[in-house]
């Protein structure tokens, strides 16, 4: 009876984590098209929710990595228990809520892995973690994926502006640049990111639920997620996406760099490509890190655009601390639940109280679709020198050369 209760509790907690993952990562797909005015905020999150739902049904490779790759389980490995998984989820959820409250686009994926690893080490031992799989499937993608995405976005942005640049053939002076097509194209690319997000992030919760079913002995080790698990996780992340992570949308959409449509198009294309490739290979990628890297790369790719490195630094610190911070909370929770039913109840009450406290704190400075991004102004917010000043600068340089 106790095992059945713990399994039900973990499944419910996992689906809540999936919900937080949805509203935490809405910005990955929709921040830049909202910022450039390509799509209205409410329409954007509704579209993202539907595509997250669809994407969750397209692949299960990442779910298999989570359920049978990071923590050893089964007859040939460590028999992880539902209470350890419960502790890991608690660490992931609390870190997700903290970073959401602060508006930091940290990695829900790394919060999940950190919480699970911390709980497993505290509750079972360090030998329970498959460090080879952790390095290959989590750590290395976390290092290289944002850098690759930033590089691709930078190149795409430079190409986009170079190919659409218009000059008078006689005088050589710049003509009005017609790049409105990129704003329309953003609807497609942001939709592709939302679809890709569903193929990667929803699967992590599928993997957790599959892991707890294996731990409880109701599913064979090494098997993939059942259909009802896939469907439940798909709907949970879709509902969370529709709820909208407006705080993080504000940071991603206008906090990193002032985004123009061509930049947004390049960033989203880069993000979607990286996530879809990683999902196919079974890499449990941080979609937030990839999206942030793409936005920064696109910012560097446009001449005259400034990237706010202070904001980028805050995000990088969030990335750096996510795994260990969630791991510490997961470990402390694991030590508590090892004491028995009373410990589980104390952890559940404390965790619920912390989540409610952070939710009510967020209401004091509410961020919604009306103020997440200044949609009308964001597209014009890039600061360039005045044409006269630029002409004078060119003239001075020319005199200096002569």
């Amino acid at each position: 009876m106790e095992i059945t209760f713990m399994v039900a509790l973990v499944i419910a907690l996992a689906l809540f984590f999936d919900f937080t993952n949805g509203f935490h990562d809405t910005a990955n797909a929709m921040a830049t098209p909202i910022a450039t005015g390509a799509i209205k905020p409410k329409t954007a999150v509704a579209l993202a929710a539907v595509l997250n739902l669809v994407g969750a049904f397209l692949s299960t490779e990442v779910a298999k990595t989570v359920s049978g790759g990071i923590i050893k389980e089964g007859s040939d490995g460590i028999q992880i228990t539902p209470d350890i998984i419960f502790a890991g989820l608690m660490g992931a959820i609390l870190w997700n809520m903290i970073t959401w409250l602060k508006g930091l686009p940290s990695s829900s994926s790394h919060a999940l892995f950190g919480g699970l690893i911390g709980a497993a080490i505290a509750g079972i031992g360090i030998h329970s973690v498959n460090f080879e799989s952790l390095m290959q499937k989590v750590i290395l993608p976390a290092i290289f994926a944002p850098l690759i995405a930033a590089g691709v976005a930078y190149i795409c942005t430079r190409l986009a502006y170079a190919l659409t640049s218009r000059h008078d053939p006689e005088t050589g002076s710049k003509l009005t640049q017609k790049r409105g097509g990129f704003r329309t194209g953003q609807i497609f690319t942001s939709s592709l990111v939302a679809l890709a997000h569903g193929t990667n992030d929803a699967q992590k919760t599928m993997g957790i639920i599959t892991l707890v079913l294996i731990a409880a002995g109701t599913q064979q080790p090494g098997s993939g997620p059942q259909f009802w698990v896939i469907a439940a996780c798909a709907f949970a992340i879709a509902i969370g996406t529709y709820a909208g992570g407006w705080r993080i949308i504000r940071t991603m959409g206008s906090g990193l760099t002032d985004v123009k449509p061509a930049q947004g198009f390049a960033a989203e294309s880069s993000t979607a490509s990286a996530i879809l490739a990683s999902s196919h290979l079974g890499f449990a990628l941080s979609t937030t890190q990839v999206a942030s890297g793409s936005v920064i790369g696109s910012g560097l790719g446009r001449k005259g655009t400034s990237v706010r490195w202070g904001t980028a630094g805050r995000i990088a610190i969030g990335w750096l601390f996510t795994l260990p911070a969630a791991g510490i909370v997961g470990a402390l929770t694991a030590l508590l639940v090892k004491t028995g039913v009373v410990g589980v109840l104390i952890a559940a009450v404390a965790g619920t109280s912390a989540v409610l406290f952070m939710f009510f704190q967020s209401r004091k400075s509410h961020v919604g679709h009306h103020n997440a991004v200044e949609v009308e102004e964001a597209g014009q917010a890039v600061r360039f020198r005045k044409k006269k000043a630029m002409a004078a600068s060119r003239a001075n340089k020319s005199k200096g050369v002569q």
Side-chain angles (χ1 to χ4, degrees):
M1 182 67 180
E2 183 178 330
I3 294 179
T4 304
F5 170 75
M6 278 305 302
V7 169
L9 181 61
V10 170
I11 290 174
L13 198 62
L15 291 175
F16 179 71
F17 168 79
D18 206 23
F19 173 83
T20 66
N21 194 349
F23 72 68
H24 206 276
D25 289 0
T26 304
N28 295 346
M30 293 301 169
T32 50
I34 291 173
T36 61
I39 190 169
K40 293 180 179 179
K42 284 189 174 181
T43 304
V45 295
L47 180 61
V50 171
L51 291 170
N52 263 305
L53 176 66
V54 174
F57 286 93
L58 298 183
S59 173
T60 57
E61 291 303 314
V62 175
K64 292 174 183 176
T65 295
V66 176
S67 64
I70 306 301
I71 306 298
K72 299 174 183 176
E73 41 83 0
S75 57
D76 297 327
I78 303 299
Q79 288 287 356
I80 193 168
T81 57
D83 57 335
I84 297 298
I85 301 172
F86 166 82
L89 280 169
M90 192 64 72
I93 289 172
L94 290 178
W95 183 252
N96 257 9
M97 292 298 295
I98 290 169
T99 51
W100 166 75
L101 182 64
K102 297 297 182 181
L104 284 177
S106 68
S107 171
S108 298
S109 308
H110 290 177
L112 178 60
F113 296 135
L116 195 60
I117 290 168
I121 291 174
I124 302 171
I126 196 168
H127 56 289
S128 63
V129 180
N130 187 340
F131 286 101
E132 182 180 354
S133 180
L134 177 66
M135 180 62 67
Q136 293 177 352
K137 299 288 188 178
V138 180
I139 303 297
L140 290 179
I143 295 172
F144 290 108
L147 296 177
I148 293 171
V152 173
Y154 173 83
I155 294 170
C156 289
T157 302
R158 295 301 295 264
L159 284 173
Y161 280 99
L163 293 173
T164 56
S165 180
R166 299 171 69 243
H167 294 80
D168 189 297
E170 295 181 0
T171 64
S173 59
K174 279 190 176 183
L175 300 175
T176 302
Q177 309 300 305
K178 295 183 177 180
R179 298 191 177 106
F182 286 114
R183 184 175 279 108
T184 303
Q186 275 193 278
I187 298 174
F188 170 76
T189 52
S190 60
S191 297
L192 194 60
V193 173
L195 185 72
H197 180 262
T199 66
N200 200 283
D201 276 48
Q203 291 187 54
K204 292 156 191 170
T205 306
M206 296 178 202
I208 287 295
I209 294 177
T210 301
L211 185 60
V212 77
L213 293 174
I214 291 171
T218 60
Q219 188 169 327
Q220 290 297 317
S223 56
Q226 301 174 38
F227 179 79
W228 72 266
V229 175
I230 296 173
C233 292
F235 279 100
I237 200 169
I239 294 169
T241 301
Y242 186 70
W246 301 110
R247 290 173 177 273
I248 300 170
I249 283 176
R250 181 164 62 180
T251 299
M252 289 283 288
S254 58
L256 278 177
T257 184
D258 299 306
V259 183
K260 285 285 191 176
Q263 292 172 265
F265 181 87
E268 291 147 18
S269 299
S270 174
T271 300
S273 300
I275 297 172
L276 287 171
S278 298
S279 297
H280 177 71
L281 295 172
F283 293 159
L285 195 67
S286 167
T287 56
T288 302
Q289 289 184 2
V290 173
S292 298
S294 295
V295 170
I296 292 173
S298 69
L300 292 174
R302 175 167 166 76
K303 292 181 179 179
T305 303
S306 60
V307 174
R308 297 184 179 92
W309 291 109
T311 302
R314 286 175 55 230
I315 292 173
I317 291 172
W319 293 352
L320 183 65
F321 282 100
T322 292
L323 267 168
I328 290 170
V329 178
L332 293 174
T333 308
L335 294 174
L336 186 60
V337 300
K338 281 181 70 176
T339 61
V341 177
V342 175
V344 172
L345 291 175
I346 292 173
V349 171
T352 302
S353 300
V355 169
L356 290 174
F357 171 77
M358 284 183 275
F359 173 76
F360 287 118
Q361 281 292 107
S362 73
R363 307 306 292 177
K364 294 181 180 179
S365 56
H366 181 61
V367 179
H369 66 89
H370 61 287
N371 65 346
V373 177
E374 296 295 336
V375 178
E376 291 81 4
E377 298 177 7
Q380 306 297 326
V382 178
R383 295 178 180 175
F384 295 103
R385 288 180 294 175
K386 298 292 185 181
K387 290 184 178 180
K388 290 182 179 179
M390 293 177 70
S393 177
R394 291 195 195 101
N396 290 331
K397 287 181 180 178
S398 178
K399 289 179 182 178
V401 170
Q402 292 176 353

